[in-house]
Amino acid sequence: MTAPWEVQELISRWWFAYDQGLFDELSLLVTEDVHFTVRTDTGKTDFEAFVTADVHGKVDVMHWQTEHRLDSPSPLRHNGTNVHLAGTRGEDALFQSYIFVTQIVEGKVSNLSTGIVTGSVRSEASNLKISSLHVVLDTEPSRNLRDILAADLT
């Protein structure tokens, strides 16, 4: 059974390696059949093409991750928070978390994005690895939760 701290450790290593451009290390953190998706919650931003992907397999996922990171600002910090287990699917442990992404603008921290991250991990060659990673970036303006829930009922 996968322990919650193991998932937290793996996801933390993923974001750190990604931010630092440690592509060889990133590659070690995913399974051969990894599935990666990223999109915004609205699909209506000026940067959709840059932040949208649906990629399968380690080679293709790592190619997308590398190209995307090389075209992104540095320093860049993905802060994975509230990582927790959400169940199992076969041999995979499912997880959910948030991300809070920052960059530096004019010498100050600048909020870049937030989002929801879901995915799965499993043991491969005696190491816990990411088997799926799905990122949905927040772009919808915040509203009162009561109004959102009421709209969902109609």
Side-chain angles (χ1 to χ4, degrees):
M1 172 143 193
T2 303
W5 69 266
E6 292 175 299
V7 177
Q8 174 71 52
E9 171 76 13
L10 177 59
I11 300 307
S12 295
R13 287 181 60 207
W14 171 264
W15 291 126
F16 185 87
Y18 177 80
D19 289 344
Q20 297 304 113
L22 304 174
F23 303 118
D24 290 340
E25 182 175 336
L26 270 181
S27 182
L28 297 174
L29 303 179
V30 298
T31 61
E32 291 297 324
D33 64 344
V34 64
H35 180 206
F36 172 75
T37 64
V38 60
R39 65 178 180 83
T40 67
D41 59 356
T42 63
K44 299 177 184 176
T45 70
D46 294 338
F47 50 88
E48 289 299 317
F50 184 66
V51 297
T52 301
D54 187 347
V55 191
H56 295 265
K58 185 177 195 170
V59 171
D60 291 341
V61 167
M62 290 312 306
H63 175 76
W64 190 91
Q65 292 290 338
T66 300
E67 292 301 310
H68 185 78
R69 182 63 189 102
L70 290 173
D71 291 331
S72 297
S74 187
L76 186 67
R77 304 290 183 249
H78 286 73
N79 300 281
T81 62
N82 296 348
V83 178
H84 61 278
L85 292 175
T88 59
R89 183 178 55 238
E91 59 186 30
D92 288 5
L94 308 177
F95 70 89
Q96 300 171 325
S97 70
Y98 295 127
I99 56 169
F100 178 55
V101 187
T102 62
Q103 63 181 342
I104 302 298
V105 176
E106 297 178 4
K108 297 178 182 169
V109 174
S110 174
N111 300 337
L112 187 60
S113 188
T114 60
I116 294 176
V117 179
T118 60
S120 57
V121 299
R122 75 169 166 276
S123 185
E124 185 178 87
S126 299
N127 293 305
L128 193 63
K129 296 186 178 189
I130 298 168
S131 52
S132 69
L133 189 66
H134 308 290
V135 180
V136 179
L137 299 171
D138 298 325
T139 59
E140 180 74 31
S142 294
R143 302 182 334 220
N144 181 286
L145 181 59
R146 183 182 310 278
D147 296 339
I148 294 169
L149 295 176
D152 287 347
L153 295 176
T154 59

